[in-house]
Amino acid sequence: MSKKIVPVLQTLIDGQKYEEVKRISKLMWPPLPREDSLMWTARAEESWGESLLDKAQLQSEAPDEVKPEELIENKAQGLQHLREAGMAYYKLAQLRRGSDNYYDDLENAADAYIRGKNFREAVKIYKTLLEGDVTERIARIYNKLAKAYLSQGRPIEALATLKKCIDERPKDPNIYETRLL
């Protein structure tokens, strides 16, 4: 990627100009790689979603100063942008299959889906991660998968996942979180 465009895109994200980042990232492919376009789209959607959820949280703390429909709309849009980020990260992972970034992209996708409350997609991706070579992060992924199951109201699958984590990775530092869940 052109070294000149990276600070511009990051400045736009920092300035909450998410629509501009998405527009530029779509326009830059081609000539720049599709991976770069998807990465910046995912980052913009993720930041946008988090920003809207933060705004909704602040609005909920001062309910007399905001219309209820505005709070509901900000939360709904925030969740949607996070799901869009999950989709963009997933597409990015598919493009980078076999690369060093593949598993990071998948984890980013699943995490964005979780924050966007799309637990079904997150579960599928976490399962894919567990099937791959992710030994350094396997306990963390088991924990995330168990939390996703709990969010879906599936406590039996969550407990089985946590037990498997404890059995397979008894000395992993992430096991302490597993024991707390």
Side-chain angles (χ1 to χ4, degrees):
M1 170 177 280
S2 169
K3 293 182 187 212
K4 293 179 182 179
I5 191 77
V6 171
V8 170
L9 292 172
Q10 190 58 54
T11 299
L12 289 171
I13 286 177
D14 293 343
Q16 298 186 344
K17 306 242 190 264
Y18 310 114
E19 198 65 52
E20 284 296 307
V21 175
K22 287 178 57 178
R23 189 177 65 74
I24 292 169
S25 68
K26 285 182 179 151
L27 290 174
M28 67 184 199
W29 174 71
L32 298 177
R34 177 75 172 133
E35 291 90 347
D36 292 344
S37 174
L38 281 169
M39 180 187 65
W40 284 104
T41 298
R43 287 180 182 176
E45 291 287 3
E46 187 173 30
S47 294
W48 199 347
E50 294 294 346
S51 174
L52 286 168
L53 290 180
D54 289 346
K55 184 177 180 180
Q57 178 62 37
L58 288 172
Q59 289 172 330
S60 71
E61 292 168 3
D64 297 337
E65 299 174 21
V66 68
K67 296 177 186 172
E69 47 285 344
E70 184 181 340
L71 173 108
I72 292 167
E73 182 65 21
N74 283 333
K75 186 171 183 180
Q77 285 184 9
L79 295 173
Q80 182 59 38
H81 284 292
L82 287 168
R83 290 189 291 269
E84 294 290 331
M87 191 181 321
Y89 279 125
Y90 186 77
K91 288 177 182 176
L92 179 60
Q94 298 314 303
L95 283 175
R96 300 203 293 195
R97 186 183 300 262
S99 77
D100 292 341
N101 297 315
Y102 175 68
Y103 292 115
D104 292 331
D105 296 336
L106 280 179
E107 188 172 2
N108 287 338
D111 292 350
Y113 277 130
I114 286 288
R115 291 192 317 278
K117 308 261 187 251
N118 186 338
F119 304 113
R120 185 176 41 87
E121 289 300 318
V123 164
K124 284 196 263 185
I125 295 170
Y126 287 140
K127 285 181 173 182
T128 299
L129 280 164
L130 290 173
E131 293 168 3
D133 182 20
V134 291
T135 53
E136 74 280 351
R137 68 176 104 202
I138 197 163
R140 184 176 73 233
I141 300 301
Y142 274 126
N143 287 339
K144 290 178 178 185
L145 177 59
K147 288 177 187 177
Y149 280 141
L150 286 173
S151 295
Q152 287 182 308
R154 298 166 60 186
I156 294 171
E157 289 97 329
L159 287 172
T161 300
L162 294 172
K163 182 176 179 349
K164 191 170 184 179
C165 179
I166 291 168
D167 291 345
E168 287 185 16
R169 307 295 291 186
K171 297 191 188 285
D172 190 302
N174 289 301
I175 206 74
Y176 299 109
E177 182 181 356
T178 303
R179 293 180 192 278
L180 290 173
L181 288 173

